[in-house]
Amino acid sequence: MVHRPIYLDCHATTPVDARVVEAMVPFFTEHFGNPASLTHAYGWEAEAAVTQARSTIAAAIKASPEEIVFTSGATEANNLALKGIAEACFSRGRHIITVETEHNAVLDPCQYLASLGFEISYLPVQSNGLLDLKTLEQAFRDDTILVSVMAANNEIGVLQPLADIGALCRDRNVFFHSDGAQAIGKIPLDVNAMHLDLLSLTAHKVYGPKGIGALYVRRRPRVPLVAQLHGGGHERGLRSGTLYPPQIVGFAKAVELGLTAMALESDRLTALRQRLWHGLQPLGGMHLNGDPTRRLPGNLNVSVEGVDGQALLLGLRGTVALSSGAACSTASTAPSHVLQALGRDHDLAYASLRFGLGRFTTADEIARVITAVSDTIQALRQTAATVNPIASQIGHNER
Ligand SMILES: *Cc1c(COP(=O)(O)O)cnc(C)c1O
C-alpha cells in the first residue's frame, strides 16, 4: 500500500465509521424505495427507516421528530435558517447579529442578505475566541430578528456559551440560530436548555456520510421560515426534494454512535490533544489559539513563530494531513479570518496549524506527529536564521 500521511484534519471531514456504512448498505439495493411512495411496501420500508432516523436525530438534541428538516448538509441548513427567517420576518425587522469567527456558510448568506438590504452586525470575539455576552447585549436593536452564533468553531474549536446567548435572545423575542456542524455527536446539545430556535447539523464531521444534514426548526413557539427549495412539498414544505434514505440512516447511526461514545471519546481525545500540545511546546514560540479548556476535545490550533506558514504545510504534507484553517480557504493565501479576529498579527495568523484529532487517531500517531512537526519547524527556523535571514524576511513581506 502507498504510504499515506497521518490524518489529523477531522474538522474538514471524518472517515465514515464502518458501523455507519453497514447500516446504510441495505438502503441502496434492497430497501431502495422512495419514502414518499405511500402505495406499496418499498415506499413504506424507506419511510419507516427515515422516521426512525428522524427520531434518533431529534432525541440527540432533545427535539421532537417533526422539528427536523433533512438537508444536504450544514451549508444548506444555514442557508435555509438565515434566508428563511429573513424572508419570513423582514416586515418586522431587518437586523441580524452574528460573529466574525463564523464559518463561511453563515458569513456568506449574511453577506447576501446585506445585499438585499438587511443590516448585519458582525460581533468581535475576545482573544480566547469566545463571544462576550456584554458585547451581544449592546448589539440588540428594536429591529433585530435573528442572532446566529456557532456552537463549536471549525478552526479553533472553541465552544460558545449557547445557553447564555439563547437566554438573552429569548428575553428579547429574537430568534436564535446556531451552526452545530462541529458539535453534533461531540458535545451535548439541548435545544431547550440552550433556547435554540434553529440548529444546523451535518453528518460528515461525526463519522457519517457527506451530503446529508438537517435543520432543527422549533415548533413551540413556532419559528416562521420561508422555504428556499420548492417542488413536491417534502419536509412539511420546508425542503422539497426526494429524501435519501441511505444517507439519512447513516446520519442517524453516526449521531447515535457519537452520543454513545461521547464521554469516553471526549476524555481520550482531550488527553491526546494535551499530549500533542505538551509535545510541541518545548520548541518555543508556540501560541495556542482559542480558549485552553472551552474547546472541542479533538481540536488543537497553534501559531508558530519564526516560520513561513506555507512552507510549514508543505514540509508536513507527506507525514501529516492537516490544514491551517477551514478546508475551503486553504487554497487562498489570505490568513484565517478567525485567527485575525483573535487579534493574531498577520505572520502568526498565517503560520498556524489546525490539528483535528478523531475517533481513529492513536497515541502512536500523535507521537509520530510530534516528531515530524518538531523536525520540520526546527529545520525551517534554522534555514530562516542561518542561510538567508534577510531574503526570507523580504519574501514574507512581499506576499
Ligand atoms: C463543515 C462545516 C459546515 C459545512 O457543512 P457541510 O455539511 O459540509 O455543508 C458549516 N459550518 C461549520 C462550522 C462546519 O464545520
Side-chain angles (χ1 to χ4, degrees):
M1 206 176 102
V2 188
H3 171 75
R4 294 168 84 217
I6 295 165
Y7 190 77
L8 284 189
D9 204 10
C10 287
H11 302 298
T13 196
T14 53
V16 181
D17 191 298
R19 294 165 290 180
V20 170
V21 177
E22 199 186 334
M24 291 170 67
V25 166
F27 292 91
F28 286 105
T29 47
E30 192 184 346
H31 308 300
F32 60 84
N34 184 333
S37 299
L38 300 179
T39 52
H40 50 69
Y42 296 87
W44 302 333
E45 287 163 9
E47 209 267 334
V50 167
T51 299
Q52 175 67 47
R54 199 186 293 280
S55 299
T56 302
I57 292 160
I61 58 169
K62 307 281 193 290
S64 59
E66 321 80 68
E67 296 175 311
I68 301 297
V69 175
F70 286 113
T71 64
S72 61
T75 301
E76 188 191 333
N78 286 343
N79 273 269
L80 176 56
L82 294 159
K83 296 176 190 169
I85 278 272
E87 213 180 310
C89 297
F90 76 96
S91 56
R92 191 177 121 192
R94 297 185 190 179
H95 181 233
I96 293 172
I97 299 173
T98 187
V99 179
E100 285 176 358
T101 50
E102 290 294 311
H103 191 276
N104 278 325
V106 164
L107 295 176
D108 291 357
C110 282
Q111 202 180 352
Y112 168 74
L113 289 170
S115 78
L116 299 182
F118 287 85
E119 281 181 69
I120 319 289
S121 295
Y122 299 94
L123 303 184
V125 291
Q126 304 169 91
S127 58
N128 63 358
L130 293 169
L131 175 62
D132 182 349
L133 295 174
K134 282 189 219 79
T135 308
L136 173 60
E137 273 188 281
Q138 285 159 9
F140 283 106
R141 306 192 328 204
D142 289 342
D143 61 343
T144 306
I145 51 174
L146 178 73
V147 169
S148 180
V149 181
M150 72 203 316
N153 188 275
N154 53 299
E155 292 191 31
I156 54 174
V158 297
L159 311 177
Q160 298 291 0
L162 293 194
D164 296 335
I165 296 168
L168 292 178
C169 295
R170 189 60 59 88
D171 282 350
R172 291 160 179 79
N173 272 320
V174 170
F175 294 116
F176 179 33
H177 165 252
S178 184
D179 177 345
Q182 295 285 349
I184 180 72
K186 302 203 193 108
I187 60 161
L189 290 172
D190 180 330
V191 293
N192 298 313
M194 293 169 167
H195 311 288
L196 282 159
D197 296 304
L198 297 150
L199 176 64
S200 301
L201 305 173
T202 191
H204 76 99
K205 309 285 173 71
V206 62
Y207 318 99
K210 295 167 190 57
I212 186 71
L215 179 65
Y216 157 78
V217 185
R218 179 175 290 284
R219 296 249 281 187
R220 265 181 291 270
R222 187 180 152 273
V223 173
L225 207 61
V226 173
Q228 304 297 306
L229 280 182
H230 305 91
H234 305 76
E235 299 298 88
R236 291 173 290 110
L238 283 175
R239 202 277 191 179
S240 288
T242 302
L243 290 175
Y244 191 3
Q247 303 298 90
I248 290 171
V249 166
F251 181 15
K253 187 69 184 176
V255 166
E256 187 187 303
L257 292 173
L259 287 198
T260 312
M262 195 181 281
L264 274 178
E265 214 159 83
S266 167
D267 288 349
R268 194 184 75 88
L269 288 177
T270 303
L272 281 183
R273 198 253 329 272
Q274 289 307 96
R275 187 179 303 185
L276 177 56
W277 175 225
H278 293 136
L280 296 177
Q281 262 175 321
L283 287 164
M286 305 292 282
H287 303 265
L288 179 68
N289 293 314
D291 194 272
T293 55
R294 281 172 287 179
R295 67 193 303 142
L296 288 171
N299 175 279
L300 180 71
N301 189 312
V302 290
S303 284
V304 186
E305 266 178 44
V307 300
D308 174 84
Q310 205 64 29
L312 183 55
L313 283 178
L314 276 175
L316 286 171
R317 71 178 173 186
T319 342
V320 45
L322 42 59
S323 70
S324 61
C328 37
S329 57
T330 41
S332 89
T333 51
S336 147
H337 71 280
V338 174
L339 299 184
Q340 286 184 304
L342 303 186
R344 288 282 180 230
D345 66 33
H346 178 281
D347 285 3
L348 280 181
Y350 196 67
S352 65
L353 294 174
R354 175 185 71 168
F355 298 94
L357 289 64
R359 182 172 294 165
F360 307 107
T361 306
T362 64
D364 176 58
E365 287 178 325
I366 293 301
R368 277 150 57 205
V369 168
I370 292 170
T371 307
V373 174
S374 302
D375 291 352
T376 307
I377 290 175
Q378 272 162 347
L380 287 172
R381 282 179 177 166
Q382 204 113 45
T383 314
T386 61
V387 177
N388 208 342
I390 297 162
S392 78
Q393 198 54 42
I394 293 168
H396 207 152
N397 291 340
E398 273 174 355
R399 188 181 20 254

